[in-house]
Amino acid sequence: MKKSNTFLASIIGTIVNGSHTIALIYLITYLCISLSKEGVDTTRTAVEIALYFAFFIVIAVALALSIVCLTYTIKNKDLTDAEGKRIIISTVFFDFFVAFLLFIDIFTGQSVLGIIFYIICCILLITSGGLYLIDYNTAIQVQKSNKDKIDNTASADSYRKAEEKNAENNLEKSDEK
């Protein structure tokens, strides 16, 4: 894979997911403090805390995957092997899933600053996932062309061996006559 796209996608994913993790920690802490001041009568706040905590877990997984991809690209490890492909596909899935959740979260009555933050994060995560997919597609095309070259070489070798065998058989038949 080209290092530039994967590296850039990893940086974008790490920064966006890291900043959103920090924002969620602040939001969950703020809601917990407001819940403790108001009492346990407000179930809406408790449900919001639970939803944001679940969202935090998803963001944390996306952040971890972005850091793993960043580490792989820094160490120049191959992300086209079986394990690397699973990591890339998982990272792309979580980037797009988090972008979808951010898009949904825009319509939940956020402040203007929150809406702008979610829109920017959504666009950056979609860009990150797209960059991963571009590199993944390029790697698959390279592997496919290499496999075709190997198959063509093997076919040519088999054809050459068959021609030699036919020539030997024809020579033996002509010697017998």
Side-chain angles (χ1 to χ4, degrees), residues 159-169:
Y159 180 75
R160 185 179 46 80
K161 287 178 183 178
E163 286 293 320
E164 289 174 0
K165 185 102 171 157
N166 284 339
E168 287 175 12
N169 289 340

Side-chain angles (χ1 to χ4, degrees), residues 79-177:
L79 285 170
T80 59
D81 60 351
E83 180 182 338
K85 285 181 181 180
R86 281 182 262 160
I87 292 170
I88 290 288
I89 294 299
S90 299
T91 306
V92 169
F93 170 76
F94 272 96
D95 280 351
F96 286 145
F97 185 64
V98 169
F100 173 72
L101 291 176
L102 289 173
F103 178 74
I104 298 298
D105 209 18
I106 291 171
F107 301 108
T108 60
Q110 300 293 328
S111 65
V112 174
L113 184 61
I115 291 173
I116 292 171
F117 176 72
Y118 287 149
I119 289 173
I120 291 171
C121 287
C122 186
I123 290 170
L124 288 173
L125 283 174
I126 290 171
T127 303
S128 174
L131 289 173
Y132 281 125
L133 286 177
I134 288 170
D135 274 356
Y136 183 72
N137 187 29
T138 304
I140 288 175
Q141 288 176 350
V142 167
Q143 286 178 347
K144 186 175 181 181
S145 69
N146 288 342
K147 183 181 177 197
D148 289 343
K149 288 178 186 175
I150 291 170
D151 288 346
N152 290 340
T153 304
S155 297
D157 287 344
S158 297
Y159 180 75
R160 185 179 46 80
K161 287 178 183 178
E163 286 293 320
E164 289 174 0
K165 185 102 171 157
N166 284 339
E168 287 175 12
N169 289 340
N170 289 338
L171 187 60
E172 288 175 6
K173 286 182 183 178
S174 65
D175 287 341
E176 290 175 4
K177 287 184 183 180

